Amino acid sequence: MEKTWRWFGKKDKITLDMLRQIGVEGIVTALHDVPNGEIWTEEAINDLKTYIESYGLRWSVVESLPVCEAIKYAGPEREQLIENYKVSLANLGKCGVKTVCYNFMPVIDWIRTDLQHPWADGTSSLYFDRVRFAYFDLRILGREGAEKDYSAEELVKVAELDKTITEAEKDDLIDTIIVKTQGFVNGNIKEGDKNPVNIFKKLLALYKGIDRDMLRENMRYFLSAIMPVCEEYGVNMCVHPDDPPFQVLGLPRIVTNEADIAWFLNAVDNPHNGLTFCAGSLSAGEHNDTRELAKKFAKRTHFVHLRSTAAMPGGNFIESSHLTGRGHLIDLIRIFEKENPGLPMRVDHGRMMLGDEDKGYNPGYSFHGRMLALAQVEGMMAVVQDEINN
């Protein structure tokens, strides 16, 4: 597997020189300065690609070329946005950048309620607390009909939390759920936006009446439209699973389990239509066994995120170390090295440690924690390679 690292461009505090020194081979990045829906030009792509290569690295994966909301909910501007997307894909292919990770999650990209949940050893990691998320949904967002999505026991716990939660904690929930974890990825809501809750409500309203079947059809429509370009230029599209892999905020989620993955691969049965196998996102759902999913879908996987989560009582989950949790990473490495060797993989998230929380990196992304994870994964890969050789 190719060792890659998510890098957020020339302004990233983690430099390419640092990444080269710790053994990274490929870079996972995007044209973060280009507004969603606009065309990525050959000039801009080549400029960044040349810059990466000047450090002895390669631009291995685009993460991501965002799929605009209007494509997902089939807005009136969908056709033009898809045409722009096709031009950007063609330009990437012409420039030799051939793997594109994207997602088809409505409105919200990934959800956590705590970006620095403490561990006993002094490290911290991402955490999802279902009751606190329900509190955000019911008491802060005030989503109509939200009560139906939670159990009677959860509703009681929300009422109890309402008696003790502070205004600062409420603000932190808003900042964590709909600002910090979203703004640097999809740009729907940015740091400094006034009334982010109102902006978020308007985004949710765009999906009123859009159910699971309709979102699936919109995904099929999008993939069918872009596959001819992918075939012509040899570009592999690989969708990221929903994170977390279950329904939230009344929105349909369509990449959550084995049946979902099989559906979109079969709906547009083309080798360029594939999966980003994110072990962390998939393992956050107790219904998923990452090892079985890897065995089933290895041949249609174009990119791997090696991270792991631990499920906890009450529907909570936490980002675990890369050697523990439900990700089963060493087993995944065995499977992918056997079934689809050479895939780009990146270690993801892990724990904040050794002062990472003071470095000002993007939310959820450590340097030292990921560097440790990269070393651990290298060790796993060496063990697997010895097994293969012997």
Side-chain angles (χ1 to χ4, degrees):
M1 303 178 89
E2 180 189 28
K3 294 172 289 185
T4 70
W5 189 284
R6 191 170 192 184
W7 177 70
F8 292 93
K10 297 176 183 179
K11 297 177 183 178
D12 197 328
K13 293 179 184 295
I14 301 172
T15 67
L16 293 179
D17 193 47
M18 294 164 66
L19 298 183
R20 179 178 57 181
Q21 291 177 51
I22 64 173
V24 170
E25 299 164 336
I27 297 300
V28 178
T29 193
L31 298 184
H32 292 288
D33 293 332
V34 178
N36 289 2
E38 293 191 7
I39 290 171
W40 288 18
T41 65
E42 285 187 65
E43 181 183 11
I45 295 166
N46 270 324
D47 177 73
L48 187 58
K49 181 171 179 280
T50 300
Y51 181 78
I52 292 168
E53 290 173 348
S54 73
Y55 286 86
L57 302 165
R58 84 177 189 103
W59 187 353
S60 302
V61 179
V62 172
E63 188 174 350
S64 62
L65 179 58
V67 179
C68 291
E69 298 295 338
I71 294 176
K72 297 174 188 176
Y73 64 77
E77 61 270 55
R78 173 170 68 166
E79 297 304 322
Q80 184 58 58
L81 288 169
I82 290 178
E83 287 305 308
N84 289 357
Y85 204 99
K86 289 160 66 175
V87 174
S88 294
L89 284 178
N91 289 341
L92 283 165
K94 292 173 187 176
C95 295
V97 184
K98 303 284 190 175
T99 303
V100 176
C101 171
Y102 72 104
N103 78 70
F104 219 80
M105 291 178 255
V107 181
I108 199 156
D109 189 83
W110 54 289
I111 302 173
R112 301 295 185 274
T113 56
D114 190 346
L115 299 177
Q116 295 182 18
H117 190 80
W119 288 77
D121 61 4
T123 62
S124 65
S125 63
L126 302 172
Y127 183 65
F128 179 85
D129 184 305
R130 182 165 172 81
V131 171
R132 283 189 170 263
F133 181 75
Y135 184 91
F136 166 81
D137 192 7
L138 292 159
R139 300 299 177 94
I140 297 175
L141 193 61
R143 181 172 61 87
E144 184 180 354
E147 294 84 359
K148 296 181 295 184
D149 292 350
Y150 303 100
S151 69
E153 181 182 0
E154 288 168 340
L155 293 175
V156 169
K157 290 181 178 179
V158 167
E160 292 173 350
L161 177 60
D162 192 43
K163 298 174 183 177
T164 61
I165 193 169
T166 66
E167 292 302 314
E169 288 176 313
K170 294 177 187 178
D171 290 342
D172 188 59
L173 274 178
I174 294 169
D175 198 43
T176 297
I177 294 172
I178 62 175
V179 181
K180 278 194 167 69
T181 56
Q182 307 305 314
F184 81 95
V185 177
N186 62 26
N188 284 337
I189 299 176
K190 302 178 180 65
E191 296 269 1
D193 281 344
K194 295 180 179 179
N195 300 316
V197 171
N198 289 338
I199 297 172
F200 193 66
K201 286 180 177 179
K202 291 177 182 177
L203 290 167
L204 291 178
L206 295 171
Y207 287 87
K208 187 174 183 179
I210 304 292
D211 62 14
R212 178 178 170 83
D213 288 340
M214 294 174 72
L215 187 63
R216 275 184 162 184
E217 173 56 24
N218 294 344
M219 185 182 188
R220 186 203 62 76
Y221 185 91
F222 166 70
L223 288 171
S224 297
I226 66 171
M227 277 301 114
V229 176
C230 292
E231 289 183 329
E232 182 176 356
Y233 294 99
V235 175
N236 290 327
M237 296 292 294
C238 42
V239 71
H240 191 288
D242 298 338
D243 187 2
F246 45 77
Q247 309 306 303
V248 292
L249 299 170
L251 296 167
R253 310 274 270 186
I254 58 173
V255 191
T256 66
N257 56 27
E258 179 180 337
D260 286 349
I261 296 169
W263 181 87
F264 84 80
L265 292 177
N266 292 328
V268 182
D269 191 8
N270 186 304
H272 295 286
N273 171 30
L275 175 68
T276 294
F277 195 100
C278 180
S281 299
L282 292 168
S283 64
E286 292 191 273
H287 54 281
N288 289 325
D289 183 325
T290 58
R291 296 159 296 188
E292 293 304 312
L293 292 174
K295 290 173 186 175
K296 188 172 184 67
F297 299 114
K299 297 295 187 183
R300 292 287 289 273
T301 294
H302 299 312
F303 183 32
V304 179
H305 287 181
L306 290 178
R307 44 177 282 253
S308 184
T309 57
M312 305 171 75
N316 303 342
F317 63 88
I318 193 166
E319 199 81 22
S320 69
S321 78
H322 288 72
L323 299 179
T324 61
R326 302 185 67 254
H328 303 292
L329 299 192
I330 193 164
D331 290 334
L332 296 189
I333 292 170
R334 287 190 178 102
I335 293 165
F336 285 116
E337 284 294 86
K338 178 182 178 182
E339 300 294 334
N340 198 353
L343 286 175
M345 71 82 188
R346 72 173 177 91
V347 295
D348 209 354
H349 300 318
R351 296 191 186 182
M352 304 288 279
M353 59 187 294
L354 299 173
D356 271 330
E357 65 276 7
D358 300 323
K359 298 295 188 296
Y361 305 143
N362 284 306
Y365 288 90
S366 65
F367 176 62
H368 294 110
R370 281 189 288 167
M371 185 168 64
L372 172 62
L374 183 65
Q376 292 171 330
V377 167
E378 283 184 308
M380 296 182 209
M381 291 170 62
V383 169
V384 170
Q385 196 57 53
D386 284 344
E387 292 173 352
I388 292 172
N389 292 340
N390 295 327

